[in-house]
Amino acid sequence: MSENERIKGNDYYRAGEMEESIISYTKSIMLNPVNAKVYANRAQARIRMNELDLALQDCNEAIKLNPAYTKALARRGMILQK
């Protein structure tokens, strides 16, 4: 179920529907709160919506779960440079 929500979130993201993607990623996180990829994906959607504080929180959570996750590290760096 968590994976289905993550995939839906990815589909919404590709379609440019950021709010819907965030909702799906959030549902995925609620079902499986230890998947760093979903936090990083939600962070990217939040960056696109200019919700930088929330995106930073998601990046930090992804990094806490997987300290070597380069996408989360790169996204956090991008946020901190803004």
PDB file of all heavy atoms in Angstrom, residues 1-7 9-10 21-46 55 58-59 61-62 65 69 72 75:
ATOM      1  N   MET A   1       0.825  -1.206   0.000  1.00  0.00           N
ATOM      2  CA  MET A   1       0.000   0.000   0.000  1.00  0.00           C
ATOM      3  C   MET A   1       0.868   1.269   0.000  1.00  0.00           C
ATOM      4  O   MET A   1       0.602   2.190  -0.728  1.00  0.00           O
ATOM      5  CB  MET A   1      -0.935  -0.041   1.210  1.00  0.00           C
ATOM      6  CG  MET A   1      -1.955   1.032   1.181  1.00  0.00           C
ATOM      7  SD  MET A   1      -3.160   0.730  -0.111  1.00  0.00           S
ATOM      8  CE  MET A   1      -4.462   1.746   0.424  1.00  0.00           C
ATOM      9  N   SER A   2       1.912   1.278   0.831  1.00  0.00           N
ATOM     10  CA  SER A   2       2.812   2.426   0.870  1.00  0.00           C
ATOM     11  C   SER A   2       3.456   2.659  -0.491  1.00  0.00           C
ATOM     12  O   SER A   2       3.550   3.802  -0.960  1.00  0.00           O
ATOM     13  CB  SER A   2       3.888   2.200   1.932  1.00  0.00           C
ATOM     14  OG  SER A   2       4.879   3.181   1.856  1.00  0.00           O
ATOM     15  N   GLU A   3       3.895   1.582  -1.131  1.00  0.00           N
ATOM     16  CA  GLU A   3       4.533   1.682  -2.441  1.00  0.00           C
ATOM     17  C   GLU A   3       3.556   2.211  -3.489  1.00  0.00           C
ATOM     18  O   GLU A   3       3.933   3.004  -4.355  1.00  0.00           O
ATOM     19  CB  GLU A   3       5.083   0.314  -2.854  1.00  0.00           C
ATOM     20  CG  GLU A   3       5.829   0.318  -4.154  1.00  0.00           C
ATOM     21  CD  GLU A   3       7.128   1.114  -4.131  1.00  0.00           C
ATOM     22  OE1 GLU A   3       7.565   1.558  -3.051  1.00  0.00           O
ATOM     23  OE2 GLU A   3       7.706   1.302  -5.210  1.00  0.00           O
ATOM     24  N   ASN A   4       2.300   1.815  -3.395  1.00  0.00           N
ATOM     25  CA  ASN A   4       1.282   2.318  -4.333  1.00  0.00           C
ATOM     26  C   ASN A   4       1.126   3.832  -4.208  1.00  0.00           C
ATOM     27  O   ASN A   4       1.005   4.532  -5.224  1.00  0.00           O
ATOM     28  CB  ASN A   4      -0.068   1.640  -4.090  1.00  0.00           C
ATOM     29  CG  ASN A   4      -0.071   0.179  -4.476  1.00  0.00           C
ATOM     30  OD1 ASN A   4       0.770  -0.267  -5.236  1.00  0.00           O
ATOM     31  ND2 ASN A   4      -1.011  -0.573  -3.928  1.00  0.00           N
ATOM     32  N   GLU A   5       1.120   4.330  -2.986  1.00  0.00           N
ATOM     33  CA  GLU A   5       0.988   5.776  -2.768  1.00  0.00           C
ATOM     34  C   GLU A   5       2.224   6.513  -3.284  1.00  0.00           C
ATOM     35  O   GLU A   5       2.119   7.595  -3.853  1.00  0.00           O
ATOM     36  CB  GLU A   5       0.747   6.093  -1.294  1.00  0.00           C
ATOM     37  CG  GLU A   5      -0.632   5.708  -0.804  1.00  0.00           C
ATOM     38  CD  GLU A   5      -1.770   6.440  -1.508  1.00  0.00           C
ATOM     39  OE1 GLU A   5      -1.580   7.565  -2.001  1.00  0.00           O
ATOM     40  OE2 GLU A   5      -2.870   5.865  -1.570  1.00  0.00           O
ATOM     41  N   ARG A   6       3.403   5.912  -3.088  1.00  0.00           N
ATOM     42  CA  ARG A   6       4.631   6.533  -3.598  1.00  0.00           C
ATOM     43  C   ARG A   6       4.581   6.629  -5.118  1.00  0.00           C
ATOM     44  O   ARG A   6       4.901   7.676  -5.700  1.00  0.00           O
ATOM     45  CB  ARG A   6       5.868   5.735  -3.167  1.00  0.00           C
ATOM     46  CG  ARG A   6       7.182   6.396  -3.578  1.00  0.00           C
ATOM     47  CD  ARG A   6       8.374   5.494  -3.379  1.00  0.00           C
ATOM     48  NE  ARG A   6       8.360   4.344  -4.267  1.00  0.00           N
ATOM     49  CZ  ARG A   6       8.695   4.375  -5.565  1.00  0.00           C
ATOM     50  NH1 ARG A   6       9.071   5.493  -6.130  1.00  0.00           N
ATOM     51  NH2 ARG A   6       8.652   3.280  -6.293  1.00  0.00           N
ATOM     52  N   ILE A   7       4.140   5.575  -5.765  1.00  0.00           N
ATOM     53  CA  ILE A   7       4.037   5.575  -7.230  1.00  0.00           C
ATOM     54  C   ILE A   7       3.016   6.597  -7.697  1.00  0.00           C
ATOM     55  O   ILE A   7       3.259   7.325  -8.672  1.00  0.00           O
ATOM     56  CB  ILE A   7       3.701   4.154  -7.736  1.00  0.00           C
ATOM     57  CG1 ILE A   7       4.898   3.228  -7.497  1.00  0.00           C
ATOM     58  CG2 ILE A   7       3.310   4.170  -9.207  1.00  0.00           C
ATOM     59  CD1 ILE A   7       4.603   1.757  -7.681  1.00  0.00           C
ATOM     60  N   GLY A   9       2.242   9.294  -6.124  1.00  0.00           N
ATOM     61  CA  GLY A   9       2.899  10.580  -5.919  1.00  0.00           C
ATOM     62  C   GLY A   9       3.847  10.912  -7.053  1.00  0.00           C
ATOM     63  O   GLY A   9       3.884  12.052  -7.540  1.00  0.00           O
ATOM     64  N   ASN A  10       4.600   9.926  -7.508  1.00  0.00           N
ATOM     65  CA  ASN A  10       5.507  10.138  -8.639  1.00  0.00           C
ATOM     66  C   ASN A  10       4.729  10.502  -9.902  1.00  0.00           C
ATOM     67  O   ASN A  10       5.148  11.391 -10.660  1.00  0.00           O
ATOM     68  CB  ASN A  10       6.348   8.883  -8.896  1.00  0.00           C
ATOM     69  CG  ASN A  10       7.366   8.621  -7.812  1.00  0.00           C
ATOM     70  OD1 ASN A  10       7.639   9.464  -6.971  1.00  0.00           O
ATOM     71  ND2 ASN A  10       7.921   7.430  -7.824  1.00  0.00           N
ATOM     72  N   SER A  21       0.674  15.253  -5.441  1.00  0.00           N
ATOM     73  CA  SER A  21       1.843  14.414  -5.179  1.00  0.00           C
ATOM     74  C   SER A  21       2.211  14.457  -3.702  1.00  0.00           C
ATOM     75  O   SER A  21       2.532  13.421  -3.109  1.00  0.00           O
ATOM     76  CB  SER A  21       3.029  14.817  -6.060  1.00  0.00           C
ATOM     77  OG  SER A  21       3.597  16.036  -5.654  1.00  0.00           O
ATOM     78  N   ILE A  22       2.141  15.623  -3.095  1.00  0.00           N
ATOM     79  CA  ILE A  22       2.454  15.748  -1.662  1.00  0.00           C
ATOM     80  C   ILE A  22       1.475  14.930  -0.832  1.00  0.00           C
ATOM     81  O   ILE A  22       1.872  14.254   0.126  1.00  0.00           O
ATOM     82  CB  ILE A  22       2.472  17.235  -1.240  1.00  0.00           C
ATOM     83  CG1 ILE A  22       3.691  17.920  -1.863  1.00  0.00           C
ATOM     84  CG2 ILE A  22       2.472  17.371   0.281  1.00  0.00           C
ATOM     85  CD1 ILE A  22       3.691  19.429  -1.742  1.00  0.00           C
ATOM     86  N   ILE A  23       0.215  14.952  -1.202  1.00  0.00           N
ATOM     87  CA  ILE A  23      -0.787  14.164  -0.477  1.00  0.00           C
ATOM     88  C   ILE A  23      -0.453  12.675  -0.568  1.00  0.00           C
ATOM     89  O   ILE A  23      -0.481  11.955   0.434  1.00  0.00           O
ATOM     90  CB  ILE A  23      -2.202  14.459  -1.010  1.00  0.00           C
ATOM     91  CG1 ILE A  23      -2.620  15.884  -0.613  1.00  0.00           C
ATOM     92  CG2 ILE A  23      -3.212  13.431  -0.502  1.00  0.00           C
ATOM     93  CD1 ILE A  23      -3.871  16.379  -1.319  1.00  0.00           C
ATOM     94  N   SER A  24      -0.124  12.204  -1.759  1.00  0.00           N
ATOM     95  CA  SER A  24       0.207  10.785  -1.921  1.00  0.00           C
ATOM     96  C   SER A  24       1.484  10.411  -1.182  1.00  0.00           C
ATOM     97  O   SER A  24       1.558   9.358  -0.539  1.00  0.00           O
ATOM     98  CB  SER A  24       0.337  10.433  -3.403  1.00  0.00           C
ATOM     99  OG  SER A  24      -0.923  10.468  -4.022  1.00  0.00           O
ATOM    100  N   TYR A  25       2.500  11.263  -1.262  1.00  0.00           N
ATOM    101  CA  TYR A  25       3.732  10.980  -0.527  1.00  0.00           C
ATOM    102  C   TYR A  25       3.477  10.952   0.985  1.00  0.00           C
ATOM    103  O   TYR A  25       4.029  10.117   1.692  1.00  0.00           O
ATOM    104  CB  TYR A  25       4.812  12.008  -0.848  1.00  0.00           C
ATOM    105  CG  TYR A  25       5.343  11.935  -2.253  1.00  0.00           C
ATOM    106  CD1 TYR A  25       5.611  13.095  -2.974  1.00  0.00           C
ATOM    107  CD2 TYR A  25       5.596  10.722  -2.891  1.00  0.00           C
ATOM    108  CE1 TYR A  25       6.116  13.052  -4.270  1.00  0.00           C
ATOM    109  CE2 TYR A  25       6.087  10.664  -4.187  1.00  0.00           C
ATOM    110  CZ  TYR A  25       6.352  11.836  -4.865  1.00  0.00           C
ATOM    111  OH  TYR A  25       6.849  11.789  -6.147  1.00  0.00           O
ATOM    112  N   THR A  26       2.638  11.838   1.457  1.00  0.00           N
ATOM    113  CA  THR A  26       2.308  11.874   2.880  1.00  0.00           C
ATOM    114  C   THR A  26       1.599  10.592   3.296  1.00  0.00           C
ATOM    115  O   THR A  26       1.902  10.021   4.354  1.00  0.00           O
ATOM    116  CB  THR A  26       1.455  13.115   3.210  1.00  0.00           C
ATOM    117  OG1 THR A  26       2.206  14.285   2.860  1.00  0.00           O
ATOM    118  CG2 THR A  26       1.091  13.165   4.688  1.00  0.00           C
ATOM    119  N   LYS A  27       0.683  10.118   2.473  1.00  0.00           N
ATOM    120  CA  LYS A  27      -0.001   8.847   2.768  1.00  0.00           C
ATOM    121  C   LYS A  27       1.007   7.708   2.805  1.00  0.00           C
ATOM    122  O   LYS A  27       0.939   6.836   3.681  1.00  0.00           O
ATOM    123  CB  LYS A  27      -1.078   8.565   1.727  1.00  0.00           C
ATOM    124  CG  LYS A  27      -2.291   9.453   1.848  1.00  0.00           C
ATOM    125  CD  LYS A  27      -3.299   9.143   0.751  1.00  0.00           C
ATOM    126  CE  LYS A  27      -4.495  10.065   0.807  1.00  0.00           C
ATOM    127  NZ  LYS A  27      -5.447   9.805  -0.294  1.00  0.00           N
ATOM    128  N   SER A  28       1.950   7.705   1.881  1.00  0.00           N
ATOM    129  CA  SER A  28       2.977   6.674   1.847  1.00  0.00           C
ATOM    130  C   SER A  28       3.812   6.708   3.122  1.00  0.00           C
ATOM    131  O   SER A  28       4.105   5.659   3.715  1.00  0.00           O
ATOM    132  CB  SER A  28       3.875   6.862   0.622  1.00  0.00           C
ATOM    133  OG  SER A  28       4.894   5.904   0.596  1.00  0.00           O
ATOM    134  N   ILE A  29       4.181   7.897   3.561  1.00  0.00           N
ATOM    135  CA  ILE A  29       4.970   8.051   4.788  1.00  0.00           C
ATOM    136  C   ILE A  29       4.178   7.563   5.998  1.00  0.00           C
ATOM    137  O   ILE A  29       4.738   6.914   6.890  1.00  0.00           O
ATOM    138  CB  ILE A  29       5.421   9.519   4.959  1.00  0.00           C
ATOM    139  CG1 ILE A  29       6.495   9.842   3.909  1.00  0.00           C
ATOM    140  CG2 ILE A  29       5.911   9.790   6.376  1.00  0.00           C
ATOM    141  CD1 ILE A  29       6.796  11.315   3.765  1.00  0.00           C
ATOM    142  N   MET A  30       2.892   7.846   6.027  1.00  0.00           N
ATOM    143  CA  MET A  30       2.072   7.396   7.154  1.00  0.00           C
ATOM    144  C   MET A  30       2.035   5.867   7.226  1.00  0.00           C
ATOM    145  O   MET A  30       2.003   5.295   8.317  1.00  0.00           O
ATOM    146  CB  MET A  30       0.665   7.976   7.037  1.00  0.00           C
ATOM    147  CG  MET A  30       0.629   9.477   7.279  1.00  0.00           C
ATOM    148  SD  MET A  30      -0.961  10.240   6.911  1.00  0.00           S
ATOM    149  CE  MET A  30      -2.046   9.379   8.002  1.00  0.00           C
ATOM    150  N   LEU A  31       2.073   5.217   6.071  1.00  0.00           N
ATOM    151  CA  LEU A  31       2.044   3.752   6.027  1.00  0.00           C
ATOM    152  C   LEU A  31       3.421   3.125   6.258  1.00  0.00           C
ATOM    153  O   LEU A  31       3.517   2.001   6.735  1.00  0.00           O
ATOM    154  CB  LEU A  31       1.484   3.291   4.675  1.00  0.00           C
ATOM    155  CG  LEU A  31       0.024   3.649   4.424  1.00  0.00           C
ATOM    156  CD1 LEU A  31      -0.324   3.457   2.953  1.00  0.00           C
ATOM    157  CD2 LEU A  31      -0.873   2.800   5.310  1.00  0.00           C
ATOM    158  N   ASN A  32       4.478   3.862   5.902  1.00  0.00           N
ATOM    159  CA  ASN A  32       5.846   3.356   6.057  1.00  0.00           C
ATOM    160  C   ASN A  32       6.767   4.543   6.338  1.00  0.00           C
ATOM    161  O   ASN A  32       7.358   5.100   5.409  1.00  0.00           O
ATOM    162  CB  ASN A  32       6.287   2.607   4.802  1.00  0.00           C
ATOM    163  CG  ASN A  32       7.689   2.065   4.923  1.00  0.00           C
ATOM    164  OD1 ASN A  32       8.273   2.056   5.994  1.00  0.00           O
ATOM    165  ND2 ASN A  32       8.248   1.623   3.815  1.00  0.00           N
ATOM    166  N   PRO A  33       6.893   4.923   7.598  1.00  0.00           N
ATOM    167  CA  PRO A  33       7.646   6.143   7.935  1.00  0.00           C
ATOM    168  C   PRO A  33       9.168   6.007   7.892  1.00  0.00           C
ATOM    169  O   PRO A  33       9.869   6.921   8.309  1.00  0.00           O
ATOM    170  CB  PRO A  33       7.164   6.468   9.345  1.00  0.00           C
ATOM    171  CG  PRO A  33       6.741   5.159   9.909  1.00  0.00           C
ATOM    172  CD  PRO A  33       6.229   4.353   8.751  1.00  0.00           C
ATOM    173  N   VAL A  34       9.687   4.906   7.382  1.00  0.00           N
ATOM    174  CA  VAL A  34      11.145   4.721   7.356  1.00  0.00           C
ATOM    175  C   VAL A  34      11.703   4.647   5.931  1.00  0.00           C
ATOM    176  O   VAL A  34      12.827   4.194   5.739  1.00  0.00           O
ATOM    177  CB  VAL A  34      11.568   3.476   8.170  1.00  0.00           C
ATOM    178  CG1 VAL A  34      11.240   3.662   9.642  1.00  0.00           C
ATOM    179  CG2 VAL A  34      10.927   2.214   7.630  1.00  0.00           C
ATOM    180  N   ASN A  35      10.966   5.134   4.958  1.00  0.00           N
ATOM    181  CA  ASN A  35      11.432   5.122   3.571  1.00  0.00           C
ATOM    182  C   ASN A  35      11.977   6.508   3.223  1.00  0.00           C
ATOM    183  O   ASN A  35      11.227   7.455   2.973  1.00  0.00           O
ATOM    184  CB  ASN A  35      10.291   4.742   2.627  1.00  0.00           C
ATOM    185  CG  ASN A  35      10.749   4.550   1.206  1.00  0.00           C
ATOM    186  OD1 ASN A  35      11.787   5.063   0.787  1.00  0.00           O
ATOM    187  ND2 ASN A  35       9.969   3.814   0.438  1.00  0.00           N
ATOM    188  N   ALA A  36      13.301   6.621   3.204  1.00  0.00           N
ATOM    189  CA  ALA A  36      13.954   7.909   2.952  1.00  0.00           C
ATOM    190  C   ALA A  36      13.594   8.475   1.580  1.00  0.00           C
ATOM    191  O   ALA A  36      13.484   9.693   1.422  1.00  0.00           O
ATOM    192  CB  ALA A  36      15.463   7.759   3.075  1.00  0.00           C
ATOM    193  N   LYS A  37      13.397   7.610   0.592  1.00  0.00           N
ATOM    194  CA  LYS A  37      13.094   8.079  -0.759  1.00  0.00           C
ATOM    195  C   LYS A  37      11.804   8.882  -0.805  1.00  0.00           C
ATOM    196  O   LYS A  37      11.713   9.876  -1.525  1.00  0.00           O
ATOM    197  CB  LYS A  37      12.986   6.899  -1.724  1.00  0.00           C
ATOM    198  CG  LYS A  37      14.288   6.246  -2.032  1.00  0.00           C
ATOM    199  CD  LYS A  37      14.098   5.112  -3.024  1.00  0.00           C
ATOM    200  CE  LYS A  37      15.417   4.431  -3.313  1.00  0.00           C
ATOM    201  NZ  LYS A  37      15.263   3.347  -4.292  1.00  0.00           N
ATOM    202  N   VAL A  38      10.817   8.471  -0.048  1.00  0.00           N
ATOM    203  CA  VAL A  38       9.535   9.173  -0.077  1.00  0.00           C
ATOM    204  C   VAL A  38       9.664  10.567   0.536  1.00  0.00           C
ATOM    205  O   VAL A  38       9.107  11.537   0.017  1.00  0.00           O
ATOM    206  CB  VAL A  38       8.425   8.359   0.621  1.00  0.00           C
ATOM    207  CG1 VAL A  38       7.094   9.073   0.524  1.00  0.00           C
ATOM    208  CG2 VAL A  38       8.315   6.979  -0.001  1.00  0.00           C
ATOM    209  N   TYR A  39      10.433  10.677   1.614  1.00  0.00           N
ATOM    210  CA  TYR A  39      10.679  12.001   2.196  1.00  0.00           C
ATOM    211  C   TYR A  39      11.392  12.899   1.187  1.00  0.00           C
ATOM    212  O   TYR A  39      11.044  14.078   1.043  1.00  0.00           O
ATOM    213  CB  TYR A  39      11.512  11.898   3.471  1.00  0.00           C
ATOM    214  CG  TYR A  39      10.749  11.427   4.676  1.00  0.00           C
ATOM    215  CD1 TYR A  39      10.820  10.102   5.088  1.00  0.00           C
ATOM    216  CD2 TYR A  39       9.961  12.300   5.419  1.00  0.00           C
ATOM    217  CE1 TYR A  39      10.127   9.662   6.203  1.00  0.00           C
ATOM    218  CE2 TYR A  39       9.262  11.870   6.534  1.00  0.00           C
ATOM    219  CZ  TYR A  39       9.349  10.547   6.917  1.00  0.00           C
ATOM    220  OH  TYR A  39       8.655  10.117   8.022  1.00  0.00           O
ATOM    221  N   ALA A  40      12.370  12.358   0.489  1.00  0.00           N
ATOM    222  CA  ALA A  40      13.111  13.148  -0.501  1.00  0.00           C
ATOM    223  C   ALA A  40      12.212  13.528  -1.677  1.00  0.00           C
ATOM    224  O   ALA A  40      12.320  14.647  -2.200  1.00  0.00           O
ATOM    225  CB  ALA A  40      14.326  12.370  -0.992  1.00  0.00           C
ATOM    226  N   ASN A  41      11.335  12.631  -2.080  1.00  0.00           N
ATOM    227  CA  ASN A  41      10.402  12.957  -3.164  1.00  0.00           C
ATOM    228  C   ASN A  41       9.442  14.062  -2.745  1.00  0.00           C
ATOM    229  O   ASN A  41       9.170  14.993  -3.505  1.00  0.00           O
ATOM    230  CB  ASN A  41       9.613  11.717  -3.584  1.00  0.00           C
ATOM    231  CG  ASN A  41      10.449  10.709  -4.332  1.00  0.00           C
ATOM    232  OD1 ASN A  41      11.623  10.935  -4.619  1.00  0.00           O
ATOM    233  ND2 ASN A  41       9.850   9.568  -4.637  1.00  0.00           N
ATOM    234  N   ARG A  42       8.925  13.946  -1.518  1.00  0.00           N
ATOM    235  CA  ARG A  42       8.014  14.983  -1.038  1.00  0.00           C
ATOM    236  C   ARG A  42       8.749  16.313  -0.914  1.00  0.00           C
ATOM    237  O   ARG A  42       8.197  17.374  -1.227  1.00  0.00           O
ATOM    238  CB  ARG A  42       7.385  14.569   0.292  1.00  0.00           C
ATOM    239  CG  ARG A  42       6.291  15.530   0.740  1.00  0.00           C
ATOM    240  CD  ARG A  42       5.529  15.020   1.935  1.00  0.00           C
ATOM    241  NE  ARG A  42       6.348  15.038   3.144  1.00  0.00           N
ATOM    242  CZ  ARG A  42       5.890  14.709   4.339  1.00  0.00           C
ATOM    243  NH1 ARG A  42       4.631  14.318   4.497  1.00  0.00           N
ATOM    244  NH2 ARG A  42       6.686  14.744   5.391  1.00  0.00           N
ATOM    245  N   ALA A  43      10.007  16.263  -0.507  1.00  0.00           N
ATOM    246  CA  ALA A  43      10.808  17.489  -0.431  1.00  0.00           C
ATOM    247  C   ALA A  43      10.901  18.151  -1.797  1.00  0.00           C
ATOM    248  O   ALA A  43      10.758  19.373  -1.908  1.00  0.00           O
ATOM    249  CB  ALA A  43      12.199  17.177   0.109  1.00  0.00           C
ATOM    250  N   GLN A  44      11.134  17.359  -2.842  1.00  0.00           N
ATOM    251  CA  GLN A  44      11.244  17.932  -4.186  1.00  0.00           C
ATOM    252  C   GLN A  44       9.936  18.595  -4.610  1.00  0.00           C
ATOM    253  O   GLN A  44       9.949  19.683  -5.190  1.00  0.00           O
ATOM    254  CB  GLN A  44      11.649  16.857  -5.200  1.00  0.00           C
ATOM    255  CG  GLN A  44      11.840  17.394  -6.598  1.00  0.00           C
ATOM    256  CD  GLN A  44      12.930  18.446  -6.691  1.00  0.00           C
ATOM    257  OE1 GLN A  44      13.934  18.376  -6.006  1.00  0.00           O
ATOM    258  NE2 GLN A  44      12.725  19.422  -7.555  1.00  0.00           N
ATOM    259  N   ALA A  45       8.818  17.959  -4.320  1.00  0.00           N
ATOM    260  CA  ALA A  45       7.517  18.565  -4.650  1.00  0.00           C
ATOM    261  C   ALA A  45       7.335  19.865  -3.865  1.00  0.00           C
ATOM    262  O   ALA A  45       6.844  20.867  -4.404  1.00  0.00           O
ATOM    263  CB  ALA A  45       6.384  17.585  -4.358  1.00  0.00           C
ATOM    264  N   ARG A  46       7.749  19.866  -2.614  1.00  0.00           N
ATOM    265  CA  ARG A  46       7.622  21.079  -1.799  1.00  0.00           C
ATOM    266  C   ARG A  46       8.557  22.180  -2.292  1.00  0.00           C
ATOM    267  O   ARG A  46       8.201  23.362  -2.231  1.00  0.00           O
ATOM    268  CB  ARG A  46       7.876  20.744  -0.334  1.00  0.00           C
ATOM    269  CG  ARG A  46       6.711  19.983   0.273  1.00  0.00           C
ATOM    270  CD  ARG A  46       6.938  19.596   1.693  1.00  0.00           C
ATOM    271  NE  ARG A  46       5.649  19.252   2.310  1.00  0.00           N
ATOM    272  CZ  ARG A  46       5.534  18.646   3.473  1.00  0.00           C
ATOM    273  NH1 ARG A  46       6.609  18.309   4.166  1.00  0.00           N
ATOM    274  NH2 ARG A  46       4.341  18.375   3.959  1.00  0.00           N
ATOM    275  N   ALA A  55      10.207  21.497   2.995  1.00  0.00           N
ATOM    276  CA  ALA A  55      11.109  20.685   2.179  1.00  0.00           C
ATOM    277  C   ALA A  55      12.387  20.376   2.954  1.00  0.00           C
ATOM    278  O   ALA A  55      12.888  19.243   2.907  1.00  0.00           O
ATOM    279  CB  ALA A  55      11.433  21.402   0.879  1.00  0.00           C
ATOM    280  N   ASP A  58      11.760  17.626   5.384  1.00  0.00           N
ATOM    281  CA  ASP A  58      11.728  16.326   4.714  1.00  0.00           C
ATOM    282  C   ASP A  58      13.128  15.848   4.358  1.00  0.00           C
ATOM    283  O   ASP A  58      13.446  14.667   4.525  1.00  0.00           O
ATOM    284  CB  ASP A  58      10.859  16.392   3.451  1.00  0.00           C
ATOM    285  CG  ASP A  58       9.368  16.363   3.754  1.00  0.00           C
ATOM    286  OD1 ASP A  58       8.978  15.962   4.871  1.00  0.00           O
ATOM    287  OD2 ASP A  58       8.586  16.718   2.854  1.00  0.00           O
ATOM    288  N   CYS A  59      13.964  16.736   3.875  1.00  0.00           N
ATOM    289  CA  CYS A  59      15.349  16.350   3.562  1.00  0.00           C
ATOM    290  C   CYS A  59      16.075  15.878   4.811  1.00  0.00           C
ATOM    291  O   CYS A  59      16.776  14.860   4.783  1.00  0.00           O
ATOM    292  CB  CYS A  59      16.099  17.526   2.942  1.00  0.00           C
ATOM    293  SG  CYS A  59      15.611  17.908   1.268  1.00  0.00           S
ATOM    294  N   GLU A  61      14.815  14.563   7.472  1.00  0.00           N
ATOM    295  CA  GLU A  61      14.292  13.258   7.871  1.00  0.00           C
ATOM    296  C   GLU A  61      14.853  12.151   6.978  1.00  0.00           C
ATOM    297  O   GLU A  61      15.238  11.085   7.455  1.00  0.00           O
ATOM    298  CB  GLU A  61      12.765  13.256   7.836  1.00  0.00           C
ATOM    299  CG  GLU A  61      12.142  12.020   8.436  1.00  0.00           C
ATOM    300  CD  GLU A  61      12.461  11.812   9.910  1.00  0.00           C
ATOM    301  OE1 GLU A  61      12.603  12.811  10.646  1.00  0.00           O
ATOM    302  OE2 GLU A  61      12.578  10.644  10.328  1.00  0.00           O
ATOM    303  N   ALA A  62      14.906  12.410   5.678  1.00  0.00           N
ATOM    304  CA  ALA A  62      15.471  11.424   4.746  1.00  0.00           C
ATOM    305  C   ALA A  62      16.926  11.138   5.093  1.00  0.00           C
ATOM    306  O   ALA A  62      17.359   9.977   5.089  1.00  0.00           O
ATOM    307  CB  ALA A  62      15.353  11.926   3.308  1.00  0.00           C
ATOM    308  N   LEU A  65      17.281   9.000   8.149  1.00  0.00           N
ATOM    309  CA  LEU A  65      17.004   7.595   7.848  1.00  0.00           C
ATOM    310  C   LEU A  65      18.110   6.944   7.019  1.00  0.00           C
ATOM    311  O   LEU A  65      18.385   5.758   7.161  1.00  0.00           O
ATOM    312  CB  LEU A  65      15.663   7.476   7.109  1.00  0.00           C
ATOM    313  CG  LEU A  65      14.431   7.840   7.932  1.00  0.00           C
ATOM    314  CD1 LEU A  65      13.208   7.967   7.037  1.00  0.00           C
ATOM    315  CD2 LEU A  65      14.194   6.801   9.017  1.00  0.00           C
ATOM    316  N   TYR A  69      22.198   9.150   1.486  1.00  0.00           N
ATOM    317  CA  TYR A  69      21.250   9.350   0.377  1.00  0.00           C
ATOM    318  C   TYR A  69      21.560  10.678  -0.323  1.00  0.00           C
ATOM    319  O   TYR A  69      21.213  11.756   0.146  1.00  0.00           O
ATOM    320  CB  TYR A  69      19.825   9.286   0.898  1.00  0.00           C
ATOM    321  CG  TYR A  69      18.778   9.244  -0.179  1.00  0.00           C
ATOM    322  CD1 TYR A  69      18.993   8.572  -1.378  1.00  0.00           C
ATOM    323  CD2 TYR A  69      17.567   9.881  -0.007  1.00  0.00           C
ATOM    324  CE1 TYR A  69      18.034   8.533  -2.366  1.00  0.00           C
ATOM    325  CE2 TYR A  69      16.589   9.841  -0.992  1.00  0.00           C
ATOM    326  CZ  TYR A  69      16.833   9.167  -2.162  1.00  0.00           C
ATOM    327  OH  TYR A  69      15.882   9.125  -3.144  1.00  0.00           O
ATOM    328  N   ALA A  72      18.794  13.429  -1.225  1.00  0.00           N
ATOM    329  CA  ALA A  72      18.349  14.224  -0.078  1.00  0.00           C
ATOM    330  C   ALA A  72      19.419  15.232   0.320  1.00  0.00           C
ATOM    331  O   ALA A  72      19.106  16.391   0.633  1.00  0.00           O
ATOM    332  CB  ALA A  72      18.004  13.309   1.090  1.00  0.00           C
ATOM    333  N   ARG A  75      19.399  18.028  -2.317  1.00  0.00           N
ATOM    334  CA  ARG A  75      18.215  18.901  -2.192  1.00  0.00           C
ATOM    335  C   ARG A  75      18.334  19.792  -0.978  1.00  0.00           C
ATOM    336  O   ARG A  75      17.978  20.974  -1.039  1.00  0.00           O
ATOM    337  CB  ARG A  75      16.947  18.049  -2.151  1.00  0.00           C
ATOM    338  CG  ARG A  75      16.652  17.440  -3.503  1.00  0.00           C
ATOM    339  CD  ARG A  75      15.482  16.493  -3.497  1.00  0.00           C
ATOM    340  NE  ARG A  75      15.378  15.915  -4.846  1.00  0.00           N
ATOM    341  CZ  ARG A  75      14.742  14.808  -5.129  1.00  0.00           C
ATOM    342  NH1 ARG A  75      14.119  14.140  -4.181  1.00  0.00           N
ATOM    343  NH2 ARG A  75      14.712  14.349  -6.364  1.00  0.00           N
TER     344      ARG A  75
END
